[in-house]
Amino acid sequence: MKWPLLSPARRNADIPLYNRYYLHAPKASHADPVIVMGTEVEADALLAFLQDKNRAGGTLLTTAHTLIRATALALVRYPEMNSRVVGRRIYRFGEIAVRMGFFHRKANEIDLLLIASADKKSLEKIAAEVWQRLVEAARGSGARDRDLARMRKVPAFLFRQGLRFYGLLDRHFHLPAVSRLDELRRGGVMVNDLSHSGAPPMRMYKPSRFADGSDSLNLTLGPVETKLVMRDGKPAEVRIMPLFLRADHRLVDAYQIGRFLAAVREGLQEPERLVVSTNSESTTK
């Protein structure tokens, strides 16, 4: 059993006024706390970095792994983003844990995984954990897969009532994470890598919010495109990837979201920043 949130909650006096408007707005007001911001990542350096790493290393690295790592390091710089709302109060998470969606081939559906302490793990370590989870899902051999198989057998009525009760507790009380099925509550940010082969050019993306209160941030990386830009007065082709962020206005303001998104973008455009030394990783184990 782990307590994902730190106590005490943030003091009401320390919460900016307009965040408090959204935090304490009655449901009847229809106040929408969702903010979506998008940008572009110049991908040439990132793709070259991954190509070099994969030639020399024993673990296959992808843009998904760099997105996890870049997000975690941005949360180190801006820890106020690593928060969630419980009731009408704001709590900080005790660690930087990142969720990621993936296609569960055996079940033919989308599933989620969690990389705990992602800020303290190398790209190779993050990739190894992700690949291990994907292999378990493909074989149906993971403990979480057995739990999910049991949940699929629950009748719709009981599933709905259980979800309502769980949601009520999760929204209003500071709860521990007690099982594999609610371990996702340990992470306040989710990433989606939608740069897979065959994906269409992405101009806008607003992800849905997962059915628990922990999902306060969502970062989505889109497919690679070629774009014509001016460099030194001459036209040049560069590869870009769209990057979108959904955030909660009860927790942060637009200027904070912009700084955080810029930090993630910086990490992806300068991927050497994502490398952690062997010594610093070994101290976190």
Side-chain angles (χ1 to χ4, degrees):
M1 183 173 67
K2 296 184 178 181
W3 293 87
L5 302 174
L6 299 176
S7 293
R10 190 175 178 185
R11 294 193 315 158
N12 191 59
D14 295 334
I15 302 173
L17 178 60
Y18 282 96
N19 296 108
R20 290 167 64 185
Y21 272 127
Y22 286 98
L23 185 62
H24 296 284
K27 290 185 178 180
S29 70
H30 302 294
D32 182 7
V34 176
I35 299 178
V36 178
M37 186 175 292
T39 186
E40 290 178 344
V41 176
E42 290 194 14
D44 287 329
L46 175 61
L47 298 176
F49 171 83
L50 291 173
Q51 187 177 50
D52 291 343
K53 282 283 188 179
N54 289 332
R55 282 174 179 169
T59 302
L60 180 64
L61 301 180
T62 71
T63 51
H65 309 136
T66 58
L67 181 59
I68 293 172
R69 176 77 175 150
T71 300
L73 294 184
L75 288 174
V76 172
R77 291 175 61 180
Y78 301 106
E80 69 275 10
M81 305 290 290
N82 195 31
S83 305
R84 68 158 289 185
V85 173
V86 179
R88 303 285 183 174
R89 309 182 77 183
I90 297 174
Y91 289 87
R92 291 274 181 89
F93 281 94
E95 66 174 330
I96 294 177
V98 180
R99 310 179 188 193
M100 188 183 81
F102 70 95
F103 183 64
H104 194 304
R105 295 187 180 278
K106 189 174 182 64
N108 196 33
E109 63 186 30
I110 298 298
D111 195 5
L112 302 177
L113 59 83
L114 183 79
I115 302 297
S117 301
D119 56 314
K120 299 177 181 178
K121 293 174 179 174
S122 67
L123 280 170
E124 289 78 10
K125 176 64 175 175
I126 291 172
E129 289 191 24
V130 171
W131 287 123
Q132 179 181 2
R133 178 69 192 106
L134 294 181
V135 169
E136 289 177 350
R139 295 174 176 171
S141 59
R144 178 175 168 82
D145 295 299
R146 293 191 290 271
D147 292 340
L148 291 174
R150 298 186 188 101
M151 285 189 64
R152 293 186 187 99
K153 297 177 181 179
V154 176
F157 173 78
L158 294 179
F159 187 89
R160 182 170 62 253
Q161 298 305 317
L163 190 62
R164 285 180 177 177
F165 181 66
Y166 169 84
L168 177 68
L169 295 177
D170 181 63
R171 289 193 303 271
H172 294 92
F173 298 99
H174 176 189
L175 301 174
V178 297
S179 71
R180 288 183 291 267
L181 291 178
D182 69 349
E183 70 173 2
L184 297 173
R185 292 175 48 249
R186 293 166 53 193
V189 58
M190 178 170 168
V191 300
N192 293 308
D193 183 3
L194 300 183
S195 62
H196 55 273
S197 177
M202 187 178 292
R203 297 293 174 261
M204 188 276 293
Y205 182 78
K206 180 184 177 297
S208 59
R209 182 164 183 164
F210 191 64
D212 68 35
S214 297
D215 187 13
S216 302
L217 293 176
N218 188 299
L219 278 152
T220 301
L221 189 66
V224 177
E225 301 178 50
T226 301
K227 183 177 181 179
L228 191 65
V229 300
M230 296 299 292
R231 292 281 168 83
D232 299 324
K234 298 179 181 180
E237 285 190 348
V238 297
R239 288 176 293 179
I240 61 98
M241 303 176 79
L243 179 65
F244 298 96
L245 170 64
R246 172 182 53 73
D248 191 330
H249 205 173
R250 295 176 297 175
L251 301 171
V252 289
D253 292 311
Y255 82 93
Q256 295 169 297
I257 294 168
R259 292 189 310 178
F260 175 78
L261 186 60
V264 176
R265 179 175 182 264
E266 183 181 88
L268 294 174
Q269 291 190 154
E270 303 176 36
E272 293 295 339
R273 293 173 177 262
L274 307 180
V275 177
V276 61
S277 67
T278 305
N279 290 337
S280 58
E281 184 186 8
S282 62
T283 60
T284 64
K285 294 180 179 179

